[in-house]
Amino acid sequence: MTESSAAAWRWFRARLAGLRFAPRPRTDGVHFAVVRTAVVTDSAAALPASWVAGLGVEGLLSVIPMPVMVGQDIYGEGEDDIRETIALALATGTPVKTSRPSPGQFEQAYRAALRQGYESVVSIHISGDLSGTADAARLAAARVDIPVEVVDSRTVGMALGMAVQAGVEAAAAGAGAAETAAAAAGQAGRTRVYFYVPSLEQLRRGGRIGAAASLLGTMLAIKPILAVEGGKIVPLEKVRSSARAVARLEEVVAAEAQAHPGTSVRLAVHHFGNPAEAESLAVRLAAALPKCPPAQISSLPAVLAAHAGLGVLAVIVGRDSGAGASLPGSP
């Protein structure tokens, strides 16, 4: 993780640092914030493994890996060579497909939460219009004895990740399932995803472009800027060159970030196979938005990279609720 990315995560660690946790109430007179609700998500949330591991609360958050099929081989998020394998496959024309996790994987996570003393689970997932993951979670929820509330975030990447963070923060403060789910859904609704892809081919092959299908007839002549709206990928603008597309992406992001005065905004930048370009984009966004904290920069999760393809640049714009939550760079 780069220094700028590390800085972008410090706010959340600070929110949890003052709490002492226990899944069950204490009887020895020591005061603990009782964590009653566990959170489960999928690897499309783009949360760094080191951040998840560093939460310091046993079982508070579980991340279910989403499978990626390269040729005849199946990989799970977190395997060391999966991004390199996908990049090589895309460059050579080897078929790359994705699938939802099995209901059994979710069932195991929910049962683990029950064994660890949690009273309920909130399961927060990639948009149901882009994946059947939330459906798999619902199937698993019907098989376990612990109450599970499934949240379809209607988004992807760190937009989903920010929703998960909001849910984790609520759960860490002792919220029940309904309040935790509401916190996650609320943050998802205040977060926008904008991205540029050099080619629509992978999105077309995976059936993920939906309304963007109208762009296909001219895909060789245009460089599309896309967005996630209502849980679906939609075309935002048609631009005639890569350089102009990236410049326009910056303008769209800056306008979104400045559209809500009085609220704190944080950014995340995703890439696949083009880290230097992502770093450069983040630097320019920092110059354009001096009041925003440094953008968190990360490679797309494998399950999203498989559809976006090489050279993608995505920017996530997340707004604070305005209820006083601390964000990076806040006092």
Side-chain angles (χ1 to χ4, degrees), residues 29-163:
V30 178
H31 175 69
F32 279 78
V34 178
V35 184
R36 301 178 294 157
T37 305
V39 176
V40 173
T41 189
D42 56 72
S43 57
L47 293 166
S50 59
W51 179 83
V52 175
L55 283 176
V57 189
E58 184 180 2
L60 174 59
L61 175 63
S62 299
V63 181
I64 306 301
M66 297 183 69
V68 177
M69 292 161 282
V70 180
Q72 300 300 313
D73 298 321
I74 299 177
Y75 298 85
E77 190 75 50
E79 297 185 22
D80 291 342
D81 64 346
I82 185 171
R83 286 188 176 88
E84 291 80 2
T85 300
I86 291 173
L88 180 60
L90 293 175
T92 59
T94 302
V96 179
K97 299 180 181 179
T98 63
S99 180
R100 71 181 190 181
S102 70
Q105 290 174 276
F106 289 111
E107 187 174 345
Q108 290 177 10
Y110 302 157
R111 293 188 187 280
L114 179 61
R115 290 194 301 270
Q116 290 167 323
Y118 291 95
E119 298 174 3
S120 60
V121 174
V122 173
S123 210
I124 309 163
H125 299 294
I126 181 175
S127 171
D129 283 313
L130 302 177
S131 169
T133 300
D135 288 337
R138 293 186 186 99
L139 289 172
R143 302 175 183 173
V144 296
D145 295 328
I146 186 171
V148 179
E149 184 156 351
V150 177
V151 176
D152 178 348
S153 72
R154 313 301 295 156
T155 192
V156 296
M158 262 306 298
L160 168 57
M162 290 179 186

Side-chain angles (χ1 to χ4, degrees), residues 68-71 85-98 130 195 197-210 212 216 219 224 226 233 272 300 302-312:
V68 177
M69 292 161 282
V70 180
T85 300
I86 291 173
L88 180 60
L90 293 175
T92 59
T94 302
V96 179
K97 299 180 181 179
T98 63
L130 302 177
F195 64 107
V197 290
S199 169
L200 288 169
E201 181 61 17
Q202 281 302 117
L203 288 170
R204 182 191 66 78
R205 288 180 178 179
R208 297 307 197 273
I209 56 174
L216 286 175
M219 61 180 292
L226 306 170
I233 296 173
F272 185 54
L300 272 181
V303 69
L304 301 183
H307 291 291
L310 291 165
V312 59

Side-chain angles (χ1 to χ4, degrees), residues 180-257:
T180 298
Q187 183 60 58
R190 295 188 300 273
T191 307
R192 297 291 178 266
V193 180
Y194 302 104
F195 64 107
Y196 153 73
V197 290
S199 169
L200 288 169
E201 181 61 17
Q202 281 302 117
L203 288 170
R204 182 191 66 78
R205 288 180 178 179
R208 297 307 197 273
I209 56 174
S214 61
L215 297 175
L216 286 175
T218 55
M219 61 180 292
L220 295 178
I222 59 100
K223 300 296 181 182
I225 297 174
L226 306 170
V228 176
E229 294 181 1
K232 299 179 180 180
I233 296 173
V234 299
L236 197 64
E237 295 186 10
K238 304 175 184 180
V239 184
R240 290 292 178 180
S241 71
S242 296
R244 180 55 188 154
V246 175
R248 184 60 186 141
L249 177 63
E250 295 172 32
E251 294 170 356
V252 169
V253 168
E256 175 66 31

